[in-house]
Amino acid sequence: MNFVQPIRDPEYIRAMKRYLREKSERNYMMFVTGINSGLRISDILKLRVQDVKRPYFNILEQKTDKIKRIAMTPSLQRELKKYVAGMEDHEYLFQSRQGINKPIGRSMAYKILRDAAEYVSLDSVGTHTLRKTFGYHFYKQYKDPALLQEIFNHSSEDITLRYIGINQDIMDKAIKDFRI
């Protein structure tokens, strides 16, 4: 079964960023926003310029219908500031080329990510990869599953660890080290 994984290796992240930036600043910024915020793609695609002019995201999560406030990393703030320069507050951040001021859809976001993943020879990449990549690297840096559980709005730490692939890492290592 081909299921979506986080991007564990920072070199793959750098390669995808380079590829996406060469193709389109919009596609690059969608990727960077996802891996630096942990937001779901459905919430990322709804973002407008006005939503990124403060140091945090204040969104109504589409999936849970809950209001969520998530601070932005300083580097994401800087990149977004440059990206939205000259854009109007009401404009969507990630506009479709179809129509006027319409966001790209989830299927287009998927195609963009799959194209970049194929270019860098990664499989198991989809729209959830952005959120999972954020979670994986956040966990590796802070080792705080309770905080990540809160950020992701999960009901348990175990769900969070399984979601970001930590349990898979532990199982893989155990099997690799196993001897009879």
Side-chain angles (χ1 to χ4, degrees):
M1 180 177 166
N2 186 3
F3 58 98
V4 179
Q5 293 285 317
I7 304 170
R8 291 171 170 83
D9 185 338
E11 189 49 47
Y12 280 109
I13 294 171
R14 285 189 287 277
M16 284 187 69
K17 285 165 101 175
R18 277 191 305 271
Y19 177 78
L20 288 165
R21 181 166 249 164
E22 285 173 17
K23 286 277 199 182
S24 156
E25 192 69 13
R26 175 199 70 184
N27 298 353
Y28 166 80
M29 285 307 303
M30 178 189 70
F31 181 76
V32 168
T33 300
I35 65 171
N36 282 284
S37 69
L39 294 174
R40 290 179 182 88
I41 195 69
S42 56
D43 295 320
I44 291 170
L45 297 179
K46 289 188 316 186
L47 290 171
R48 294 179 187 257
V49 172
Q50 66 200 15
D51 298 325
V52 299
K53 288 197 168 178
R54 53 188 169 257
Y56 56 87
F57 295 105
N58 201 23
I59 61 165
L60 176 64
E61 289 184 310
Q62 188 170 316
K63 183 177 179 183
T64 64
D65 232 17
K66 293 180 181 174
I67 293 175
K68 191 84 174 170
R69 181 176 172 210
I70 299 171
M72 280 187 227
T73 65
S75 64
L76 180 57
Q77 284 179 334
R78 281 190 302 276
E79 294 223 47
L80 283 168
K81 186 177 181 177
K82 283 188 278 186
Y83 177 66
V84 301
M87 293 173 75
E88 301 289 330
D89 281 357
H90 69 278
E91 291 182 68
Y92 283 100
L93 283 185
F94 309 112
Q95 290 184 31
S96 170
R97 293 184 186 102
Q98 315 293 308
I100 297 170
N101 196 32
K102 298 217 182 313
I104 62 172
R106 186 183 184 91
S107 63
M108 178 54 75
Y110 176 79
K111 286 177 190 167
I112 290 164
L113 295 171
R114 289 294 310 142
D115 177 55
E118 190 175 304
Y119 179 79
V120 301
S121 302
L122 270 180
D123 57 1
S124 304
V125 170
T127 55
H128 257 34
T129 296
L130 304 179
R131 184 170 161 89
K132 288 182 177 193
T133 299
F134 165 85
Y136 181 84
H137 291 278
F138 187 94
Y139 177 79
K140 286 294 200 179
Q141 188 169 345
Y142 295 107
K143 299 284 194 276
D144 190 343
L147 180 56
L148 193 53
Q149 172 192 345
E150 182 74 21
I151 291 168
F152 279 169
N153 222 347
H154 286 163
S155 58
S156 75
E157 288 181 21
D158 186 55
I159 288 170
T160 300
L161 294 175
R162 198 170 343 119
Y163 180 78
I164 63 172
I166 294 299
N167 289 355
Q168 186 67 53
D169 283 358
I170 293 167
M171 287 187 300
D172 290 350
K173 183 175 178 356
I175 295 294
K176 192 172 125 188
D177 295 345
F178 178 73
R179 303 281 184 267
I180 293 182

